[in-house]
Amino acid sequence: MRLLRDEEDSTVSGLSTAPQKPGLSALRSDYCNEQVFQRNRIPARSFFLPNRFILLNGSWRFHYAPTPVQAPKVDAVGTEAPQWGEIEVPGHWQLQGHGIPQYTNVIYPFPVVPPFVPTDNPTGTYRRSFTVPDNWEDPLQLRLRFDGVDSAFHVFVNGTEIGYSQGSRNPAEFDITSAATRGKPNEVVVRVYQWSDGSYIEDQDQWWLSGIFRDVHLLGFPSDNRIDDFFVKTVFDSDYESAMLTLNLKLKLEQGCKIEFCLTDQDAKICFQKTALATEQNFDLDFPIEKPTPWTAETPYLYTLRITLRDMHEKEDIEVIRQRVGFRQVEIKNGNITVNGKSIMFRGVNRHDHHSLLGRAVPLSFVKKDLLLMKRQNINAVRCSHYPSHPQLYDLCDELGLWVLDEADLECHGFYEAVARPLDIPEDMDYQKRKALTFPQAAKFTSDNPVWREAYLDRMKQLVERDKNHACVVIWSLGNEAFYGSNHRAMYEWGKSYDPSRPIHYEGDTKALSADMFSYMYPTLTELEKYAQAEGESFTKPVILCEYGHAMGNGPGALEEYQEAFRSHRRLQGGFIWEWANHGLWKTDAATGKSYYAYGGDFGDVPNDGGFVMDGLCFSDHTPTPGLVELKKAYAPLHVDVDGTRIVITNRLDFLDLAHLSATWKIMQLSCSPKSEELLGSGNFALPSIGPHKKGHVDMPTLPPTLQQSHRDPGECWLTISFRLSRDTNWAQAGHEVAWFQHRLDEPAEGFLQPNLALAIPRVVDAELSYTVQGNDFSITIDKVHGSLSEWTINGNPILTRPFHLTAWRAPTDNDAAHDAKQWAHWGLDVLETQLRSVSIEPIDSSHTSIQINVESYMSPPILAWGFETTTSYRIDASGNIDISVHLKPMGPAPKTLPRIGLEAHFAKSFEDVTWFGRGPGESYRDKKLSQQIGIHARPINDMHTSYEIPQENGNRADTRWACFSDRQGAGIVASMYEPASDGRPRAKTFDFSAQHHTAAELQSAAHPCELVAREDVVVKFDAAHAGVGTAACGPGILDAYVVKCEAMKFGLLLRPYP
């Protein structure tokens, strides 16, 4: 790519109506000048639409040019040519057939020479006509408002240049009164540049997408007398009972006017009303409100403020503005962020604007769907990462009740790579050391460069001015991953001066010099404890995690451990999971006709950061992943413990009691017999009054007499309590489950497993290459060549399509791929081979009731000199029951951990269903299982697979007691596990299992789900141990408690025909 030359010109390059020569070198233009980020833009203001407006969304004429100088001249845009087509506004041109989307996380997709951008700078020219309505009576000021244009643009009306703006996620408003005409169509032309100097500070881990992607309005404001802006604040008294409503208005007045203020509650009752005379441009008024209902994210009570501007004779309403107001006060008290005097806990998520078909042109209905889903998953906070979101998102957060961390449109992470690569800094270097080597230099490009000061300040002003009147916004943020420099200090100082009512956040300020809190990303639990304890109880600033629990692919793991840390330390006030949803763009491959959610590189975009954009709690269509289900459990607003005969309930809410919930209970007897469960009792709890952060208790339900029996039934008895909304809310209907809890009522038995072995002795056929054990209705073959259970038939029907074999590999998850999978592959765990040492059969005499075949083998990878010594014993009785006992012992220089260890087999395609006793119904792993209930669950095999948008390990079920695989007639196989014991009395063991139509290799080799071809047979894994998933794609790996250590182990697998 070529770069623009540093030359000054009095015209706006590429926009002069004078003829231009083809191939003319582009001069230094507005979009290549860091000190020009707007021309003629009206000062930023709060978001509201006047009484007169027209939405200009819809079909616009569009021309796409590879460079600005090849874009059509403004005086020629009305001339039709083949290059002109149609485009939808709002939208992105890359998603409408012009250019391609490009994804990068950190790196810039262009040479790093700020403020210059490539000469090959795709340019979209938009045009459409509008007519000023006849009923818009003069005198009017006409404005064009653009709520979002990526990345920079010039605007013209009727051939007259109106102005210029950049700051893609910030609004731009222009006065077009002098250029527009009445009584005939007006033509607006918008020339949009894909790259601008602003692109250097908009490097925000998302798709690079261009165009007019938010609403466009024609606005009609009164020209002589009007309200240009207003700022509403609420300040409580020291007891947080009564409050002062403070209002500042910026007025345009040609003569004095009257202003009426009216505040009404949700029942339309007038709480305050006053008429005042306005003669100055700035108008301030304080309204005392006695005991208003406070606003919080848990109690989002809103009042309506109506501001009416009238002429002096009160004959006419010149302008009417309605603003919803929540009474709340944000402070830092005793080192904590408080609202209305109470410390709050952020159970938050990071949210980008994204739609799989429309990119960042997200419809408001889709935004609302996101927020409703958040509320239903116990999420109480949103970080608008990393820019101001759709302007009406904040109305919805006010209404539904969500804390908002509102962030400036600012990130320049790519400068890190520009500094680090020449220094050849390895990515596995300690993060703090990398920061010390690179961040100060990276900051010099823009963040600590005074030439960029005004551009940084503009982004802070745009953020605060637009969203300042929303109760939901409790924290401003200076941006994200932009290092730290003098320009951040300037942003902070302006923010605190203009709006001292809110604290300011910036993670890049590691010493919190220009921030009111310490903020961190992806710390380990050990590091988090260190941050929490750094100043004891004398701290003055809290700690939040602006990003943690990286939710990429099959993850995140260990969410509950972070919640426990937050609850254990007053300084820790929660955080925001990264991130809400995958950013896949729906794509149909022209060659194959297959469709999938695309990520970096799928459009031929180079450079790219691959699948790192698929890191959400929701799939790209914004339906929940298993990770979001797990988060709902971790974020549950209450907790239950059992203390003897009492059930103790802890309210984890900050403001509400639990009166809005109802509780039901049931007691289930879950049997070791497949598909057998019994409801022993059920009912309702009358919840006591339990205030915020308080405890209450109810009595344990009366247990039925059957529970008084000794452990004759080897099953388990479980109490399940469900907490549901007792009444409709604006985010869920009555009956919506908020939280649940389980407790085992019976004491676990000794756990001695009693194998169901027949009394008769089966027949054995001793052939050259195999032992075949036969009964009346079964045949089981042990292969003498490999020592495996290779064939198994019941009633003449084959059970296996591939022998049982010991395996340790799993298709790497996104979290594995960051480190563990490389180590596991380094140790050859994906290519283990088995060497047979011996096969023998135990002597058969009248004292035996089964046949036992013993296999000695060695399992190891090529190249390396380590492996497992394995002893496998197959015991088979005359009923066809199979007992497989495995003893593993690592030998030589072995790896420290394994992905998993267990027996794998392929079952015949006739096995279409599975029922199991364990956690379910969804997938679960050691560190991602608390959202799944203990019970007896059933699913078709086809539904046991989780279709992650990048195929990987999935579908595991943890803490399983037994699993029954059956055909449509109900016949099948029951599997359970045990721990062999030296006393000869094996103990029942829970295990992990999965069943699906894909092997690990098939999952690993596929880039998209559409590349997976379902096998006819069923790939089944019975794991004695299966590792957790962690968050190592960006954060801590699997916690020590959840790894599988490579060490000697014994386990047994029982397989029984069913019924």
Side-chain angles (χ1 to χ4, degrees), residues 295-297 328 330 337 339 344 346 348-349 351 371 374 380-385 387-390 393-399 401-407 463 466-467 470-477 502-503 505 544 576:
W295 186 98
T296 73
R328 65 102 187 93
V330 186
I337 300 169
V339 175
I344 61 175
F346 294 108
V349 293
R351 180 191 174 275
L371 301 181
M374 289 179 192
N380 73 357
V382 183
R383 180 187 181 208
C384 295
S385 51
Y387 43 80
S389 189
H390 188 297
L393 170 140
Y394 306 86
D395 291 323
L396 294 169
C397 290
D398 284 342
E399 174 188 326
L402 287 160
W403 309 118
V404 173
L405 190 159
D406 205 8
E407 195 149 82
L463 167 77
R466 195 195 72 170
D467 299 336
H470 289 281
C472 64
V473 178
V474 292
I475 300 175
W476 301 120
S477 176
R502 292 177 174 97
H505 162 273
I544 68 166
F576 300 81

Side-chain angles (χ1 to χ4, degrees), residues 687-843:
L687 290 177
S689 177
I690 306 174
H693 299 291
K694 301 296 183 183
K695 294 184 179 182
H697 72 271
V698 294
D699 292 332
M700 184 76 73
T702 303
L703 302 182
T706 52
L707 292 183
Q708 306 305 319
Q709 301 174 7
S710 61
H711 298 286
R712 288 177 292 180
D713 187 332
E716 301 174 14
C717 185
W718 284 85
L719 167 69
T720 301
I721 305 173
S722 176
F723 297 89
R724 299 175 181 270
L725 290 178
S726 59
R727 57 183 180 270
D728 290 346
T729 69
N730 61 359
W731 51 270
Q733 293 181 334
H736 166 76
E737 186 173 65
V738 173
W740 57 267
F741 166 80
Q742 284 189 302
H743 175 70
R744 185 170 177 179
L745 294 175
D746 58 332
E747 292 294 329
E750 286 292 317
F752 298 144
L753 194 68
Q754 301 297 327
N756 180 23
L757 300 176
L759 296 177
I761 302 175
R763 300 183 300 278
V764 178
V765 177
D766 186 352
E768 180 182 358
L769 300 179
S770 64
Y771 292 110
T772 300
V773 182
Q774 298 175 336
N776 293 333
D777 55 4
F778 73 89
S779 175
I780 297 167
T781 298
I782 307 299
D783 174 14
K784 289 183 180 180
V785 177
H786 298 97
S788 61
L789 197 169
S790 58
E791 295 183 24
W792 183 9
T793 63
I794 299 176
N795 294 322
N797 298 313
I799 304 301
L800 301 177
T801 62
R802 185 178 175 185
F804 273 89
H805 54 293
L806 196 64
T807 57
W809 186 249
R810 72 182 183 191
T813 67
D814 288 319
N815 290 308
D816 292 341
H819 179 265
D820 287 339
K822 297 171 187 174
Q823 286 296 308
W824 292 333
H826 174 80
W827 288 99
L829 292 169
D830 56 336
V831 289
L832 293 175
E833 300 176 359
T834 299
Q835 300 174 5
L836 184 67
R837 297 288 189 259
S838 67
V839 180
S840 62
I841 188 168
E842 295 266 334

Side-chain angles (χ1 to χ4, degrees), residues 394-625:
Y394 306 86
D395 291 323
L396 294 169
C397 290
D398 284 342
E399 174 188 326
L400 298 172
L402 287 160
W403 309 118
V404 173
L405 190 159
D406 205 8
E407 195 149 82
D409 188 9
L410 177 60
E411 180 172 339
C412 54
H413 204 173
F415 291 131
Y416 166 80
E417 284 290 338
V419 172
R421 286 200 186 188
L423 296 176
D424 211 17
I425 295 175
E427 282 301 306
D428 58 358
M429 178 187 286
D430 176 75
Y431 180 59
Q432 296 303 322
K433 291 181 180 178
R434 283 190 285 137
K435 284 179 66 174
L437 288 171
T438 60
F439 278 30
Q441 293 184 58
K444 294 296 182 184
F445 282 97
T446 58
S447 293
D448 204 29
N449 183 344
V451 179
W452 287 77
R453 180 179 184 275
E454 294 304 316
Y456 273 56
L457 272 175
D458 178 66
R459 289 170 186 257
M460 185 63 177
K461 292 176 181 178
Q462 289 271 23
L463 167 77
V464 174
E465 294 285 21
R466 195 195 72 170
D467 299 336
K468 58 182 177 281
N469 290 324
H470 289 281
C472 64
V473 178
V474 292
I475 300 175
W476 301 120
S477 176
L478 305 182
N480 183 68
E481 293 179 321
F483 317 105
Y484 180 67
S486 59
N487 296 331
H488 290 111
R489 289 192 292 274
M491 295 171 75
Y492 177 82
E493 289 165 2
W494 180 89
K496 297 303 286 187
S497 171
Y498 184 75
D499 179 22
S501 70
R502 292 177 174 97
I504 291 178
H505 162 273
Y506 181 56
E507 178 269 341
D509 180 3
T510 56
K511 297 180 180 179
L513 301 174
S514 305
D516 298 316
M517 64 206 71
F518 288 91
S519 177
Y520 301 98
M521 294 182 179
Y522 312 109
T524 65
L525 287 165
T526 300
E527 290 168 338
L528 188 58
E529 292 276 340
K530 178 182 175 182
Y531 300 147
Q533 299 171 2
E535 299 176 64
E537 283 297 304
S538 62
F539 62 89
T540 58
K541 294 182 179 182
V543 169
I544 68 166
L545 302 186
C546 64
E547 297 177 20
Y548 80 108
H550 197 265
M552 191 170 184
N554 189 344
L559 288 175
E560 178 57 30
E561 282 78 359
Y562 280 87
Q563 305 315 304
E564 180 57 33
F566 297 153
R567 293 190 293 266
S568 300
H569 299 280
R570 183 175 66 84
R571 192 176 195 181
L572 303 182
Q573 291 195 255
F576 300 81
I577 296 292
W578 186 267
E579 66 172 310
W580 173 242
N582 290 353
H583 293 221
L585 292 172
W586 188 248
K587 181 178 186 242
T588 299
D589 188 280
T592 65
K594 294 181 178 179
S595 298
Y596 54 90
Y597 289 107
Y599 48 81
D602 283 333
F603 294 95
D605 46 312
V606 177
N608 68 77
D609 281 317
F612 211 71
V613 76
M614 312 294 263
D615 53 3
L617 294 162
C618 293
F619 294 110
S620 294
D621 64 356
H622 288 226
T623 57
T625 68

Side-chain angles (χ1 to χ4, degrees), residues 980-993:
S982 57
D983 60 6
R985 303 173 70 190
R987 290 165 175 80
K989 166 185 170 58
T990 60
F991 62 99
D992 293 63
F993 85 95

Side-chain angles (χ1 to χ4, degrees), residues 95 353-363 366 583-585 620 622:
L95 303 181
D353 283 337
H354 179 75
H355 188 284
S356 62
L357 299 175
L358 305 173
R360 284 185 291 281
V362 183
F366 197 78
H583 293 221
L585 292 172
S620 294
H622 288 226

Side-chain angles (χ1 to χ4, degrees), residues 660-714:
H660 62 295
L661 299 179
S662 61
T664 60
W665 61 269
K666 66 178 180 180
I667 297 175
M668 300 292 297
Q669 181 71 23
L670 307 174
S671 174
C672 279
S673 301
K675 304 184 181 181
S676 176
E677 59 183 347
E678 181 183 359
L679 177 65
L680 300 181
S682 63
N684 301 316
F685 284 124
L687 290 177
S689 177
I690 306 174
H693 299 291
K694 301 296 183 183
K695 294 184 179 182
H697 72 271
V698 294
D699 292 332
M700 184 76 73
T702 303
L703 302 182
T706 52
L707 292 183
Q708 306 305 319
Q709 301 174 7
S710 61
H711 298 286
R712 288 177 292 180
D713 187 332

